[in-house]
Amino acid sequence: DAFAGANVDVVVGNWREAGFLAGKRYDVVVADYLLGAVELHWPHGADAVLARLLEALKPGGTLLFVGVEPYESLLDRADAELAISQTNI
């Protein structure tokens, strides 16, 4: 198995809890579809979440953002198609 012996820590918690990730430090932090979800469930909470991610990152570490922004569910489909066509001009 390619991951045998890998030291992987999966952390689950609530971003609104001040103690979430407190004292934790990581070489790599992956924020997978995080900021769009934060905006949906905690409007204007992105700054607090980003600050917490940066605090949890070891010096020289990597912060990886993955996701689709903005979510199509928040856009009018016609507006999204218009924006895509304008970028292909």
Side-chain angles (χ1 to χ4, degrees):
D1 184 45
F3 299 106
N7 184 12
V8 177
D9 190 9
V10 177
V11 181
V12 178
N14 186 331
W15 288 102
R16 292 183 188 203
E17 290 180 19
F20 182 56
L21 294 183
K24 302 274 188 178
R25 298 291 177 265
Y26 299 95
D27 293 314
V28 177
V29 173
V30 179
D32 187 18
Y33 293 96
L34 177 66
L35 293 180
V38 167
E39 189 60 31
L40 180 63
H41 298 288
W42 185 13
H44 312 291
D47 288 345
V49 169
L50 185 57
R52 189 143 337 138
L53 289 172
L54 292 173
E55 288 173 11
L57 195 62
K58 289 182 180 177
T62 301
L63 176 56
L64 175 62
F65 283 98
V66 180
V68 178
E69 188 61 39
Y71 285 117
E72 282 189 7
S73 64
L74 300 179
L75 290 176
D76 178 75
R77 187 68 150 160
D79 290 343
E81 289 172 3
L82 176 63
I84 290 169
S85 357
Q86 288 176 348
T87 60
N88 293 327
I89 295 175

